[in-house]
C-alpha cells in the first residue's frame, strides 16, 4: 500500500478529471482548445467507465478523463474509480476534481490495484496517487491491507491452504499484534468437547482444528468473531458435482474475512476485547466420513442428525458459536460461505445478514451503505424453526423441502447462541465471479469493512 500513494504532493502529477455525461460539456469547456478537439475527435462523452488520456503538445500525458455514473443512476457504482489502475499508464496522478464520494473513490482505486501474485509474479503498482486533502490514508491502507489478506487467503488453492496453513496465517496475524493464540487439533477436539467440528473434518488426511486467539484489554466490551474455515468442501458423501466443487477453495471465506476484520480492529486499536474462533476443516470423502442420517452430539448438548453432509459449515460453526457463547460476549458475530440459497435470493454481491437486535440491524445497514460493502437483512423467521425438527435427534442440519435455505441455516445456528447479548450472522459468498471495478475476479472481502465501521463507531 505504501507504494501506491505518493508521499508528498507532486507538482508534475497528472490530473484526473471525473466527468458524467450530463457534466461533460461544462468540463470540456474548461480544457485547452487542443484538448477539446482531441476529446471530441475520439468521441469522448463521459459515459461511465470511459477513459481518455489527453496529450501535451510534447506528446506526454497531460490530463486524464474518466466517466462516472450519475449519482442517482440505476446501478450507480461508487467503486467505478477502481477501473483506473488497470487503465492508467505508469506515472503519478492526482484528482483534479471531486468524484461523488472522494473517500470511496480513493478506496476503490487502491482496491483496484490488487493482483494475486503467489504463483505468478505480480509487478508492483506502476501508478501512484497523490492523496486528496482530507483523506485518511492510514484508514484506506488498513482497509486495503485487510482486503488483500482475505483475497490472498481465499485465492490460494486448497493444496496450499488446508487447516494447518489457515492456522499458520491466523497465528502470524495474532503474533503481529501481540494476541494470545491457541489451537485445538485432531483428536483433541473430541477430548475438548468439539464433536461436530471433529465429525466434519475426521475423514480428511489433514487434521481438523479450532483456531482461537484473543487480543485487547479484558476490561473492555467482549466482541467475538467466528469464521467458517472449510478449506475445501467436496460435499462429503453427498458429493457436489464438479461444477459446484470448482471454486470450493473459497469455502474458508468466512475465516478469511474474519481475519481481515480482526486485522482492522487490532490495527486501529479499538477499545474492545477481541476473540477470534475459526473451526478449520476439510470436508472430505473417505471410509470414515460422516454419513447421511448419522447422529452426533454437539458441544452445547443437542444431538444433530445429518440430513445432508454438504451442510457442514453450520455444523462446525455450531460448536464454535456454542464455545463463544459460554463467555456471554457483548457482541457475537459469525461469517461463513454457507448457502447457495443466499446466492439464489440475492446474488453474489449482496450477502444476507440476520439478527434480532434492531439497533444493530439498522446501524449495520447504514454502515454497509456508507462503505459500499453491501448487505441485506433477512428475517430469523420463527415459523420455519420447526422445519429443523428431527424424529430421532434434537435437530436436523438440513431440512428437506429446499425452501428458505439461508433462513433455516440461520435458525439452526441460532439454536447454539443463548447468552451473548447480541448476535449477528452473515451468509457471505466471498467470491467475485466476474471482475468489476475495484473487485477483480476471485476471492473477495465481504462484510468486513461494514462491520469494522460499526465497531469503530461503538468502540473507537
Amino acid at each position: 500500500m505504501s507504494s501506491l500513494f505518493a508521499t508528498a504532493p507532486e507538482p508534475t502529477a497528472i490530473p484526473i478529471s471525473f466527468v458524467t455525461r450530463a457534466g461533460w460539456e461544462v468540463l470540456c469547456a474548461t480544457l485547452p482548445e487542443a484538448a477539446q478537439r482531441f476529446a471530441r475527435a475520439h468521441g469522448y462523452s463521459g459515459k461511465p467507465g470511459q477513459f481518455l488520456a489527453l496529450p501535451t503538445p510534447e506528446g506526454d500525458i497531460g490530463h486524464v478523463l474518466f466517466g462516472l455514473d450519475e449519482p442517482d443512476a440505476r446501478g450507480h457504482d461508487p467503486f467505478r474509480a477502481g477501473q483506473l489502475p488497470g487503465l492508467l499508464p505508469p506515472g503519478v496522478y492526482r484528482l483534479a476534481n471531486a468524484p461523488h464520494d472522494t473517500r470511496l473513490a480513493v478506496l476503490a482505486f487502491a482496491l483496484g490495484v490488487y493482483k494475486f501474485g503467489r504463483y505468478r509474479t505480480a509487478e508492483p503498482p506502476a501508478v501512484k496517487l497523490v492523496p486528496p486533502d482530507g483523506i485518511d490514508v492510514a484508514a484506506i491502507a488498513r482497509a486495503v491491507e485487510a482486503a488483500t489478506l482475505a483475497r490472498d487467503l481465499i485465492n490460494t488453492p486448497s493444496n496450499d491452504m488446508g487447516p494447518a496453513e489457515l492456522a499458520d496465517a491466523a497465528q502470524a496475524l495474532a503474533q503481529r499484534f501481540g494476541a494470545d493464540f491457541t489451537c485445538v487439533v485432531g483428536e483433541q477436539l473430541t477430548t475438548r468437547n468439539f464433536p461436530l467440528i471433529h465429525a466434519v473434518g475426521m475423514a480428511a488426511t489433514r487434521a481438523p482444528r479450532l483456531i482461537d486467539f484473543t487480543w485487547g484489554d479484558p476490561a473492555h466490551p467482549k466482541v467475538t468473531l467466528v469464521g467458517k474455515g472449510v478449506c475445501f468442501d467436496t460435499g462429503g458423501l453427498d458429493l457436489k458435482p464438479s461444477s459446484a466443487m470448482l471454486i470450493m477453495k473459497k469455502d474458508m471465506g468466512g475465516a478469511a474475512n474474519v481475519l481481515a476484520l480482526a486485522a482492522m480492529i487490532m490495527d486501529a486499536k479499538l477499545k474492545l476485547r477481541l476473540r477470534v474462533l475459526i473451526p478449520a476443516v476439510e470436508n472430505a470423502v473417505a471410509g470414515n466420513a460422516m454419513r447421511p442420517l448419522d447422529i452426533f452430539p454437539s458441544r452445547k448438548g443437542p444431538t444433530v442428525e445429518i440430513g445432508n453432509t454438504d451442510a457442514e459449515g453450520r455444523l462446525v460453526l455450531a460448536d464454535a458459536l456454542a464455545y463463544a457463547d459460554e463467555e456471554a460476549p457483548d457482541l457475537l458475530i459469525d461469517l461463513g460461505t454457507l448457502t447457495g440459497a443466499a446466492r439464489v435470493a440475492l446474488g453474489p454481491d449482496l450477502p444476507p445478514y440476520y439478527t434480532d437486535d434492531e439497533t444493530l440491524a439498522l446501524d449495520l445497514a447504514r454502515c454497509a451503505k456508507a462503505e459500499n460493502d453491501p448487505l441485506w437483512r433477512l428475517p430469523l423467521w420463527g415459523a420455519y424453526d420447526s422445519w429443523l425438527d428431527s424424529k430421532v435427534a434434537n435437530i436436523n442440519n438440513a431440512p428437506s423441502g429446499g425452501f428458505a435455505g439461508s433462513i433455516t441455516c440461520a435458525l439452526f445456528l441460532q439454536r447454539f447462541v443463548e447468552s451473548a447479548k447480541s448476535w449477528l450472522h452473515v451468509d457471505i459468498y466471498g467470491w467475485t465471479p466476474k471482475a468489476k471495478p475495484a473487485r477483480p475476479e476471485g476471492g473477495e472481502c465481504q462484510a468486513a469493512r461494514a462491520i469494522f465501521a460499526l465497531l469503530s463507531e461503538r468502540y473507537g
Side-chain angles (χ1 to χ4, degrees), residues 164-178:
E165 290 82 4
L166 183 56
D168 289 344
Q171 185 171 15
L173 181 66
Q175 290 175 341
R176 174 184 166 192
F177 291 102

Side-chain angles (χ1 to χ4, degrees), residues 196 293-298 300-308 314-315 318 384-399 408-416:
L196 293 177
L293 302 189
D294 278 356
I295 297 174
F296 295 94
S298 65
K300 190 173 178 63
T303 53
V304 181
E305 181 182 24
I306 307 303
N308 192 306
R314 67 198 68 181
L315 296 175
Y384 295 161
D385 196 65
S386 62
W387 293 3
L388 296 167
D389 290 347
S390 165
K391 295 178 181 179
V392 292
N394 296 121
I395 190 172
N396 190 297
N397 78 320
T408 54
C409 177
L411 292 170
F412 178 91
L413 295 176
Q414 189 180 36
R415 298 275 189 106
F416 298 88

Side-chain angles (χ1 to χ4, degrees), residues 184 188-197 210 275 277 296-304 315-326 416:
V184 182
Q188 294 177 347
L189 291 165
T190 59
T191 59
R192 295 280 299 276
N193 192 24
F194 298 104
L196 293 177
I197 298 174
L210 178 63
R275 188 178 192 186
L277 292 170
F296 295 94
S298 65
R299 179 178 182 85
K300 190 173 178 63
T303 53
V304 181
L315 296 175
V316 298
L317 286 178
D319 269 359
L321 284 170
Y323 188 38
D325 193 59
E326 292 165 14
F416 298 88

Side-chain angles (χ1 to χ4, degrees), residues 15-19 27 31 44 63-67 94-97:
I16 301 171
S17 287
F18 295 99
V19 61
L27 188 141
L31 299 174
Y44 194 82
H63 203 123
V64 168
L65 304 176
F66 186 71
R94 63 178 176 85
L95 305 189
N97 61 352

Side-chain angles (χ1 to χ4, degrees), residues 25-68:
E25 291 298 333
V26 173
L27 188 141
C28 183
T30 67
L31 299 174
E33 185 177 347
Q36 292 184 39
R37 290 200 304 270
F38 186 89
R40 295 189 190 284
H42 284 78
Y44 194 82
S45 63
K47 68 181 180 181
Q50 190 176 19
F51 171 89
L52 184 64
L54 302 175
T56 65
E58 295 76 26
D60 298 319
I61 298 174
H63 203 123
V64 168
L65 304 176
F66 186 71
L68 295 180

